Amino acid sequence: SSLLLMSGVVVAVGLCRRLARRRLRSRPHLFAFLVEMFSTFQICACTNELSLLGNVEPKPHTALTLTYGFTVLHGLTLAGSTCNPCGTLQPMWGGGTSPRMGGLKIAAQFVAAVLARVFMHFIWSLEMAEPHFGALSQGCSSPMQTTEMQAFCIELLFSVVFQLAVLRAESVNPKYRVHLIALLITMLVYAGGNLTGAIFNPALAFSLHADCFYDKFLSYSLVYWIAPSLGKFLILYVF
């Protein structure tokens, strides 16, 4: 049921992106906002569902396999979208995107994060699959299982490694690049998922753990917003 749900989200987002391309080409700002929102919604909704499958046996093989598979699927179906506020900073820094367009895309990413969370909570309330039972009663299921400073350093390091890999992989054939990026993300999740969740995406972090941001805003914004953004700026400064 979970796989069907995530596949349905991917198909629906694909149809919405295609419709936006056909109807809104003459309105570039609205087009950019909607495409980025649809794309980020897909990643956030699917990752919310994947977070419930972390305890499916055999552990952690099932969760890592699904992480790799859906990361490849996102890479193939969401070409042209960053779905990450940190990724949007690069073209803004280099002058390839205007501050207005960059701000519009970041706003779309956080809107999508909220919409995905609301949508998935509605789906979980229907209890269509076994992992959905009791999912809404968890509250802040904190992904931070270490000290705040260590969590900050982990998310900063993972952001630097990920953003550096994305830059270095730009010259790789796209059909191979998507697998390389998916493999890297899976390795990072395996290495640090039990400590911080290995998210390194501010919009995705908010969608997954909004309750934790409400309870401990300063510490969670430091780890899941400032750390990956700082990692991105370090990469931009060095290169």
Side-chain angles (χ1 to χ4, degrees), residues 12-163:
V13 167
L15 292 175
C16 290
R17 281 166 54 94
R18 179 173 297 183
L19 182 63
R21 285 194 183 93
R22 290 181 177 178
R23 300 295 180 86
L24 298 174
R25 280 296 189 181
S26 59
R27 305 178 67 180
H29 287 88
L30 180 60
F31 170 74
F33 180 89
L34 289 178
V35 169
E36 194 66 31
M37 185 184 73
F38 293 143
S39 303
T40 308
F41 177 89
Q42 174 177 314
I43 288 181
C44 291
C46 290
T47 308
N48 268 279
E49 185 68 16
L50 282 173
S51 67
L52 298 182
L53 304 179
N55 294 322
V56 174
E57 296 292 345
K59 296 188 297 184
H61 305 83
T62 300
L64 292 175
T65 301
L66 290 173
T67 298
Y68 175 82
F70 273 91
T71 303
V72 171
L73 185 61
H74 295 326
L76 294 174
T77 58
L78 302 180
S81 298
T82 59
C83 308
N84 186 338
C86 297
T88 307
L89 294 175
Q90 180 180 346
M92 291 176 63
W93 179 278
T97 299
S98 66
R100 180 182 179 184
M101 180 64 77
L104 199 64
K105 289 185 176 182
I106 292 175
Q109 291 157 2
F110 277 98
V111 169
V114 174
L115 291 177
R117 182 173 179 82
V118 172
F119 172 75
M120 293 309 300
H121 277 214
F122 169 72
I123 295 297
W124 293 345
S125 69
L126 302 178
E127 297 186 339
M128 297 186 299
E130 183 177 349
H132 298 172
F133 299 154
L136 295 179
S137 62
Q138 294 179 1
C140 173
S141 54
S142 176
M144 200 187 304
Q145 301 300 317
T146 183
T147 65
E148 184 177 308
M149 181 55 63
Q150 288 178 335
F152 178 87
C153 293
I154 290 171
E155 286 293 310
L156 174 63
L157 175 62
F158 283 6
S159 177
V160 168
V161 171
F162 176 71
Q163 300 294 343

Side-chain angles (χ1 to χ4, degrees), residues 64 67-69 71-72 176-190:
L64 292 175
T67 298
Y68 175 82
T71 303
V72 171
Y176 300 124
R177 181 170 62 232
V178 66
H179 290 279
L180 291 174
I181 297 300
L183 180 61
L184 173 63
I185 290 176
T186 305
M187 292 172 61
L188 294 176
V189 170
Y190 177 72

